[in-house]
Each structure stands twice: as C-alpha cells, then as structure tokens.
Amino acid sequence: MIPWHWHEELELGYIQEGVSKIITVGAEYTVDQGNGFFINSNVMDMKRSAGGRTLEINHIFHPIFLGGHFRSRFETKYLNPVIKNRQIEVHIIRRGYPTSERILKNLRLLKELQGNPDTEFQTRNILSETWLLLLEDLREHPDTRPQTGVEQRDRLRSMIAYIHGHYTERLTLSEIAKVAGVSEREASRCFKKNIGQSPIELLFA
C-alpha cells in the first residue's frame, strides 16, 4: 500500500503483474494487469493491491522535463491544458485501443531504457511522444464520472499535509480542523466521506 500523498511531478505507469487500485478523493480506479495509468500533478491519491502480489512500473517526471522552461510554448500549448485541468485526476490507459497500445508500448520501452547508460535524450523523446499520445487518448476516452468539489479536495489536502508535518506531536481534531477553517464535525465528515477514515485514524495508520 502507498499511503495518501501528492507531488508536483506527473506520473505514468503500468501494471506488470496483479491488479492495483488508485484511490483519489471521491473516486476509485482499478488498473488490471497490462493496463496503464496517468496521475496528474498534485493529485492526492493512495494505492493498494487488489489482492495478491502487484508489480507496478512507474515513470515519475517533472513537467519541466518536457516543457523545457517556464511559460515555454511546450508548457502553454501541450502541458498546461492537462496539468491545470482540475477535472483530470487519473486516466486509465486500457489495452485494445490503438492509441492506448502505443502509449503502453512506449512505457515498456522506457523501462528497458533505464537499465542503459546515457539515455536521457531518448527518454525525453519517448516521453514527449507519449505525452502527445496521452492527449489523444484523453480526447478519445474521457472520464465521465462525477468529480468531488475542488474546495473539498483542497480542504482535505491541507489537513493531511498538516498531519504529515506534525505527526510526531500530540495532535487534536480541533487543530486539524482549524487548518482548513472548518468545524471538528465537518473535518470528520470530510475525511469519512472521501477517504473512509477519520483524521485520527489516518494519523495512526
């Protein structure tokens, strides 16, 4: 299990063995063996095996690796439409579709490349091609499930960040709720509804 977390980097990967569940605030995605996934920048998620051994191959990279520099044409035209779209959290890349198969092939090739020296340019070239394919796959197979409100996601993230930063201290529910500007009751409701745990349960997980 990978506990609740988020990072600025983008994440592309696939399941080499087993079945993985990616859980975000208000949504759950099952990724079967052979299928892939994309997790957007700063999306709060956790992962767990759906039973038995699971082997997941991840490629995690900062947007600047493809964008080159701040406000480049690559960033504004190709990266930002996805990164800044709060409705795109997780995208499942499923076998059996031409675009998806090309993405999965590239992800497998990237894994093989990382065992060789001096592959930085090849890695960037393949990731650039894969990003263009991902844009196409997002258009062809949009996720239609309802999204949890942005405000609620931001509240949860601020409270979880506070827990992560102060877990060695004697935290109270009142302190955790205060970070998000909500009551203790609302903080508990928000946690239970969206991640199935209370703030205190998360603290001792």
PDB file of all heavy atoms in Angstrom, residues 1-2 47 49 68 113 123 126 150 165 188 190 201:
ATOM      1  N   MET A   1       0.837  -1.192   0.000  1.00  0.00           N
ATOM      2  CA  MET A   1       0.000   0.000   0.000  1.00  0.00           C
ATOM      3  C   MET A   1       0.875   1.247   0.000  1.00  0.00           C
ATOM      4  O   MET A   1       1.883   1.305   0.703  1.00  0.00           O
ATOM      5  CB  MET A   1      -0.923   0.019   1.213  1.00  0.00           C
ATOM      6  CG  MET A   1      -1.964   1.132   1.151  1.00  0.00           C
ATOM      7  SD  MET A   1      -2.878   1.375   2.689  1.00  0.00           S
ATOM      8  CE  MET A   1      -1.733   2.396   3.606  1.00  0.00           C
ATOM      9  N   ILE A   2       0.520   2.225  -0.801  1.00  0.00           N
ATOM     10  CA  ILE A   2       1.178   3.530  -0.799  1.00  0.00           C
ATOM     11  C   ILE A   2       0.189   4.513  -0.183  1.00  0.00           C
ATOM     12  O   ILE A   2      -0.900   4.713  -0.719  1.00  0.00           O
ATOM     13  CB  ILE A   2       1.563   3.967  -2.226  1.00  0.00           C
ATOM     14  CG1 ILE A   2       2.515   2.938  -2.853  1.00  0.00           C
ATOM     15  CG2 ILE A   2       2.210   5.345  -2.208  1.00  0.00           C
ATOM     16  CD1 ILE A   2       2.824   3.198  -4.301  1.00  0.00           C
ATOM     17  N   LYS A  47      -2.602   4.191  -3.130  1.00  0.00           N
ATOM     18  CA  LYS A  47      -2.674   2.986  -3.945  1.00  0.00           C
ATOM     19  C   LYS A  47      -2.643   1.762  -3.047  1.00  0.00           C
ATOM     20  O   LYS A  47      -2.022   1.772  -1.982  1.00  0.00           O
ATOM     21  CB  LYS A  47      -1.492   2.916  -4.922  1.00  0.00           C
ATOM     22  CG  LYS A  47      -1.457   4.017  -5.952  1.00  0.00           C
ATOM     23  CD  LYS A  47      -0.209   3.864  -6.824  1.00  0.00           C
ATOM     24  CE  LYS A  47      -0.052   5.027  -7.773  1.00  0.00           C
ATOM     25  NZ  LYS A  47       1.233   4.963  -8.497  1.00  0.00           N
ATOM     26  N   SER A  49      -2.863  -2.817  -3.482  1.00  0.00           N
ATOM     27  CA  SER A  49      -3.060  -4.003  -4.305  1.00  0.00           C
ATOM     28  C   SER A  49      -4.492  -4.483  -4.147  1.00  0.00           C
ATOM     29  O   SER A  49      -5.084  -4.391  -3.074  1.00  0.00           O
ATOM     30  CB  SER A  49      -2.086  -5.100  -3.872  1.00  0.00           C
ATOM     31  OG  SER A  49      -2.396  -6.309  -4.525  1.00  0.00           O
ATOM     32  N   GLY A  68      10.694  22.287 -20.834  1.00  0.00           N
ATOM     33  CA  GLY A  68      11.955  22.979 -21.092  1.00  0.00           C
ATOM     34  C   GLY A  68      12.198  24.160 -20.180  1.00  0.00           C
ATOM     35  O   GLY A  68      13.214  24.220 -19.511  1.00  0.00           O
ATOM     36  N   LEU A 113      14.927   1.108 -21.272  1.00  0.00           N
ATOM     37  CA  LEU A 113      15.974   2.110 -21.466  1.00  0.00           C
ATOM     38  C   LEU A 113      16.699   2.458 -20.179  1.00  0.00           C
ATOM     39  O   LEU A 113      17.898   2.750 -20.190  1.00  0.00           O
ATOM     40  CB  LEU A 113      15.370   3.394 -22.034  1.00  0.00           C
ATOM     41  CG  LEU A 113      15.290   3.564 -23.544  1.00  0.00           C
ATOM     42  CD1 LEU A 113      14.678   4.921 -23.869  1.00  0.00           C
ATOM     43  CD2 LEU A 113      16.653   3.438 -24.190  1.00  0.00           C
ATOM     44  N   THR A 123      15.023   9.083 -23.533  1.00  0.00           N
ATOM     45  CA  THR A 123      13.931   9.097 -22.557  1.00  0.00           C
ATOM     46  C   THR A 123      13.014  10.289 -22.790  1.00  0.00           C
ATOM     47  O   THR A 123      11.785  10.164 -22.812  1.00  0.00           O
ATOM     48  CB  THR A 123      14.498   9.136 -21.123  1.00  0.00           C
ATOM     49  OG1 THR A 123      15.261   7.952 -20.889  1.00  0.00           O
ATOM     50  CG2 THR A 123      13.385   9.243 -20.090  1.00  0.00           C
ATOM     51  N   ILE A 126      10.947   9.882 -26.055  1.00  0.00           N
ATOM     52  CA  ILE A 126       9.848   8.918 -25.929  1.00  0.00           C
ATOM     53  C   ILE A 126       8.739   9.488 -25.051  1.00  0.00           C
ATOM     54  O   ILE A 126       7.547   9.334 -25.341  1.00  0.00           O
ATOM     55  CB  ILE A 126      10.355   7.580 -25.373  1.00  0.00           C
ATOM     56  CG1 ILE A 126      11.285   6.917 -26.400  1.00  0.00           C
ATOM     57  CG2 ILE A 126       9.198   6.643 -25.039  1.00  0.00           C
ATOM     58  CD1 ILE A 126      12.040   5.728 -25.871  1.00  0.00           C
ATOM     59  N   VAL A 150     -13.723  20.926  -5.863  1.00  0.00           N
ATOM     60  CA  VAL A 150     -12.349  21.380  -5.678  1.00  0.00           C
ATOM     61  C   VAL A 150     -12.132  21.866  -4.248  1.00  0.00           C
ATOM     62  O   VAL A 150     -11.103  21.589  -3.628  1.00  0.00           O
ATOM     63  CB  VAL A 150     -12.028  22.506  -6.680  1.00  0.00           C
ATOM     64  CG1 VAL A 150     -10.690  23.163  -6.344  1.00  0.00           C
ATOM     65  CG2 VAL A 150     -11.998  21.956  -8.100  1.00  0.00           C
ATOM     66  N   GLY A 165       2.992  16.818   8.499  1.00  0.00           N
ATOM     67  CA  GLY A 165       4.046  17.696   9.011  1.00  0.00           C
ATOM     68  C   GLY A 165       4.150  17.737  10.521  1.00  0.00           C
ATOM     69  O   GLY A 165       5.148  18.219  11.060  1.00  0.00           O
ATOM     70  N   SER A 188     -14.294  15.749  10.360  1.00  0.00           N
ATOM     71  CA  SER A 188     -14.514  14.301  10.448  1.00  0.00           C
ATOM     72  C   SER A 188     -15.379  13.812   9.301  1.00  0.00           C
ATOM     73  O   SER A 188     -15.107  12.766   8.698  1.00  0.00           O
ATOM     74  CB  SER A 188     -15.175  13.948  11.785  1.00  0.00           C
ATOM     75  OG  SER A 188     -14.305  14.205  12.854  1.00  0.00           O
ATOM     76  N   CYS A 190     -15.752  15.148   6.348  1.00  0.00           N
ATOM     77  CA  CYS A 190     -14.998  15.262   5.105  1.00  0.00           C
ATOM     78  C   CYS A 190     -14.049  14.071   4.931  1.00  0.00           C
ATOM     79  O   CYS A 190     -13.954  13.478   3.853  1.00  0.00           O
ATOM     80  CB  CYS A 190     -14.215  16.575   5.117  1.00  0.00           C
ATOM     81  SG  CYS A 190     -13.490  17.030   3.545  1.00  0.00           S
ATOM     82  N   GLU A 201      -7.638   8.319  12.724  1.00  0.00           N
ATOM     83  CA  GLU A 201      -7.311   7.009  12.150  1.00  0.00           C
ATOM     84  C   GLU A 201      -6.190   7.134  11.132  1.00  0.00           C
ATOM     85  O   GLU A 201      -5.290   6.290  11.058  1.00  0.00           O
ATOM     86  CB  GLU A 201      -8.549   6.377  11.511  1.00  0.00           C
ATOM     87  CG  GLU A 201      -9.573   5.852  12.507  1.00  0.00           C
ATOM     88  CD  GLU A 201     -10.882   5.450  11.844  1.00  0.00           C
ATOM     89  OE1 GLU A 201     -11.180   5.937  10.737  1.00  0.00           O
ATOM     90  OE2 GLU A 201     -11.614   4.653  12.474  1.00  0.00           O
TER      91      GLU A 201
END
